[in-house]
Amino acid sequence: MLKLTKTSLTYDDTPILKDISIDLPNGSFNLLVGPSGSGKSTLMKVIAGMIPTLADHVTINQQNLAGLPAYKRAGFVGLLFQDPDTQFAMSTPWEEIIFTLENLKVAPSEMTERANYALDFVNGSQFSHQSFDTLSGGEKQKVALAIMVAMQSKVLLLDEPFASIDITSRQEILKQLKKLQMNGVTILVTDHDYSGYADLVDDVFSFNQQHIQKINNLNAFFDQPSQVDYQFKQPQESQSVLKLNQFKLSVGSRTLIDISFFALAHSGITLFSGSNGSGKSTLFNAITRLKPYQGQIMYLNQDISKIKLNTYAKKVALIFQSAEKQFMKMTVSEELALSQKHTQHPNLWTNEAIESALTTLQLNHLKDHIVYQLSGGQKKKLQVLLLLIIGTPVLLLDEPLAGLDSQSIITVLSLIKQTIVETQQRIIIISHQLNGVLDFIDYHIVLQNNMLTFTETST
């Protein structure tokens, strides 16, 4: 039994947890839900014993976590962070897992077997010796989960483990987690996408307004409307501002994309999908001149390699998968001031308009906060707003919705849609989260078998 008893936490005079208690039976599978920024990640850190002043509120099998050294505590509870990059210290997945086991003082004779099992668990053996720099966001999330499996903790706390993982991999890993539960592991996972959990979880807990509540009617909770088939436009090549000619993109010896011609960046919003590791983020990096490629990328019929970099950066911009990599200042207000200084639409992004957008995104009370102390969802919303304010003609968004609840997704996409009506920006979004997204999409690109194609339906 994991027990958290009567725990409260206040940060900067703002209550985060208020007299929280929760009991998780051994070998149970539990889902924790709640709005972005409500404090779910903080609650996870408390349960993991990562806030020392509250560690004596947590017991696992009657063992109090207070005072335990980190390597012993990890034997009881392991936490997967929302941003997997913050979890890595080594160069490759294999080295990372071995390093973790060394820190846990696992016998050398056991390390190889545990590492292989963990990588197989997430179907990650094929990239176990690749540099983390070459992995997609979804592949990194798989590695972070593999580390948790290798640790063999009695309790697994998984904070948005599927935020950047494709649907097929998500379903496979959920089945694997169920096997871990059947072997006695207690699982608590936060997720804004409830699909796939109905037949797996024992309990669902709702966390909001500093309080936690157990959902009694799971059938009603998981009763989702049937999926609607969406129809997307087939674009006209002449309306594109980006074109790929005799284009080839590779990582090491692996070819990701190999096409003779493709036109993209049409008016409106384009969804860009494909399996983890297929090359979506790498293509975005190539388009923004962060990755080498073969062939030509044309912007308004001009080879981008012939355009001065500082000039091109004002035409095409990228929202990184990790929000923290985008920030350059310390506070929300400072970041907003920097974007406003460089906006290409000063008449649109007035102080009043920015204040209105902050209110819409529920960030208006956080203007004096340090950006790195925001929740994962708050960072994502701020990141999108900053790039919208700058207003480049083409904006590439790499998993901008990861970690957002359904209402926040609708709010962010509504803001994007409203903005591009005024600015005529062209938006391309990578997202594995489709709930609430498809209503806003004009075009849909799929990357599969090294090819890019436009699809007319969502199925």
Side-chain angles (χ1 to χ4, degrees):
M1 175 74 76
L2 182 149
K3 294 180 69 71
L4 176 70
T5 46
K6 295 187 178 298
T7 303
S8 299
L9 177 65
T10 298
Y11 172 74
D12 196 22
D13 297 327
T14 301
I16 307 297
L17 310 176
K18 189 173 181 180
D19 203 26
I20 295 286
S21 295
I22 186 172
D23 293 346
L24 303 181
N26 281 336
S28 60
F29 198 132
N30 307 275
L31 177 63
L32 177 64
V33 302
S36 302
S38 59
K40 300 185 300 299
S41 297
T42 301
L43 178 60
M44 289 278 206
K45 291 176 182 177
V46 171
I47 295 174
M50 295 181 65
I51 301 179
T53 56
L54 298 177
D56 59 352
H57 290 246
V58 185
T59 59
I60 297 177
N61 294 343
Q62 300 182 346
Q63 169 68 56
N64 196 290
L65 295 189
L68 284 179
Y71 79 94
K72 285 190 175 180
R73 190 172 68 230
F76 286 95
V77 57
L79 170 61
L80 186 151
F81 296 124
Q82 202 170 108
D83 181 358
D85 280 325
T86 62
Q87 209 144 338
F88 304 140
M90 306 301 284
S91 299
T92 69
W94 182 266
E95 292 172 350
E96 187 68 38
I97 294 175
I98 296 300
F99 179 67
T100 300
L101 297 178
E102 287 173 345
N103 278 277
L104 296 180
K105 302 187 178 183
V106 174
S109 58
E110 297 181 31
M111 289 184 184
T112 299
E113 182 179 353
R114 282 170 68 163
N116 280 327
Y117 173 79
L119 287 163
D120 287 341
F121 183 91
V122 298
N123 195 24
S125 299
Q126 69 273 22
F127 51 78
S128 61
H129 295 287
Q130 286 184 219
S131 169
F132 278 117
D133 291 339
T134 68
L135 300 186
S136 71
E139 288 169 336
K140 289 177 182 178
Q141 279 192 303
K142 289 181 180 181
V143 174
L145 181 55
I147 293 169
M148 297 296 102
V149 173
M151 288 168 59
Q152 296 184 358
S153 305
K154 294 178 174 61
V155 177
L156 283 185
L157 308 175
L158 309 177
D159 194 0
E160 297 288 347
F162 308 114
S164 299
I165 289 181
D166 63 73
I167 295 173
T168 301
S169 296
R170 171 192 174 91
Q171 293 170 340
E172 291 172 352
I173 292 174
L174 278 172
K175 292 177 182 177
Q176 292 289 79
L177 288 175
K178 188 65 177 179
K179 292 179 182 178
L180 282 183
Q181 179 214 357
M182 299 303 290
N183 289 328
V185 177
T186 303
I187 297 170
L188 178 64
V189 56
T190 68
D191 205 336
H192 293 296
D193 183 350
Y194 308 149
S195 60
Y197 286 107
D199 297 326
L200 299 181
V201 299
D202 300 300
D203 287 306
V204 177
F205 297 90
S206 176
F207 184 59
N208 199 6
Q209 302 294 323
Q210 302 98 46
H211 294 283
I212 196 164
Q213 181 180 3
K214 186 175 178 179
I215 303 294
N216 293 319
N217 190 341
L218 294 187
N219 289 332
F221 177 82
F222 286 116
D223 185 18
Q224 300 291 327
S226 58
Q227 184 175 348
V228 177
D229 290 339
Y230 287 81
Q231 297 292 321
F232 303 109
K233 304 175 188 175
Q234 278 294 311
Q236 297 180 15
E237 178 189 317
S238 60
Q239 296 177 348
S240 163
V241 298
L242 281 172
K243 295 181 175 67
L244 310 179
N245 290 323
Q246 302 302 321
F247 182 80
K248 186 174 182 179
L249 187 62
S250 304
V251 172
S253 60
R254 184 163 62 104
T255 298
L256 301 175
I257 301 174
D258 191 355
I259 52 178
S260 58
F261 179 82
F262 194 79
L264 66 163
H266 299 80
S267 299
I269 301 177
T270 300
L271 174 66
F272 185 19
S273 59
S275 60
N276 291 131
S278 58
K280 302 183 300 299
S281 297
T282 308
L283 177 59
F284 274 12
N285 286 332
I287 292 173
T288 48
R289 295 172 63 173
L290 296 174
K291 289 283 186 183
Y293 57 89
Q294 295 175 268
Q296 286 184 319
I297 300 176
M298 310 293 288
Y299 176 75
L300 293 178
N301 297 319
Q302 185 177 3
D303 191 329
I304 67 170
S305 65
K306 303 294 195 299
I307 305 174
K308 289 184 178 179
L309 190 57
N310 61 344
T311 300
Y312 184 64
K314 296 176 183 178
K315 305 298 182 184
V316 181
L318 169 64
I319 286 184
F320 297 128
Q321 209 168 110
S322 173
E324 291 191 358
K325 293 181 179 179
Q326 208 99 39
F327 299 143
M328 301 180 69
K329 298 293 184 178
M330 287 300 293
T331 68
V332 173
S333 292
E334 290 170 341
E335 283 286 350
L336 290 166
L338 183 63
S339 289
Q340 191 177 25
K341 177 181 177 181
H342 294 284
T343 183
Q344 299 185 32
H345 303 280
N347 293 331
L348 174 62
W349 290 109
T350 62
N351 292 335
E352 293 77 13
I354 291 174
E355 186 67 30
S356 175
L358 287 171
T359 301
T360 298
L361 296 172
Q362 297 184 326
L363 299 175
N364 53 310
H365 63 295
L366 301 171
K367 287 185 288 186
D368 295 326
H369 280 232
I370 295 172
V371 291
Y372 304 102
Q373 294 176 337
L374 301 177
S375 74
Q378 290 166 342
K379 290 175 185 174
K380 286 286 187 181
K381 289 191 283 189
L382 175 63
Q383 183 190 22
V384 171
L385 177 58
L386 294 175
L387 271 292
L388 285 177
I389 292 172
I390 292 174
T392 53
V394 177
L395 185 54
L396 312 176
L397 288 74
D398 194 352
E399 294 288 358
L401 309 174
L404 296 184
D405 63 83
S406 57
Q407 185 54 55
S408 292
I409 288 173
I410 293 172
T411 300
V412 167
L413 289 172
S414 297
L415 179 62
I416 292 173
K417 199 83 170 180
Q418 174 188 340
T419 300
I420 65 176
V421 169
E422 302 287 339
T423 63
Q424 303 304 306
Q425 288 170 273
R426 292 148 190 264
I427 307 292
I428 307 177
I429 298 179
I430 295 173
S431 180
H432 293 294
Q433 167 63 271
L434 299 183
N435 292 337
V437 173
L438 298 177
D439 287 325
F440 295 87
I441 300 305
D442 299 298
Y443 308 103
H444 185 192
I445 298 173
V446 176
L447 172 52
Q448 189 174 28
N449 299 324
N450 311 127
M451 299 294 292
L452 294 166
T453 55
F454 280 98
T455 180
E456 294 184 353
T457 66
S458 60
T459 55

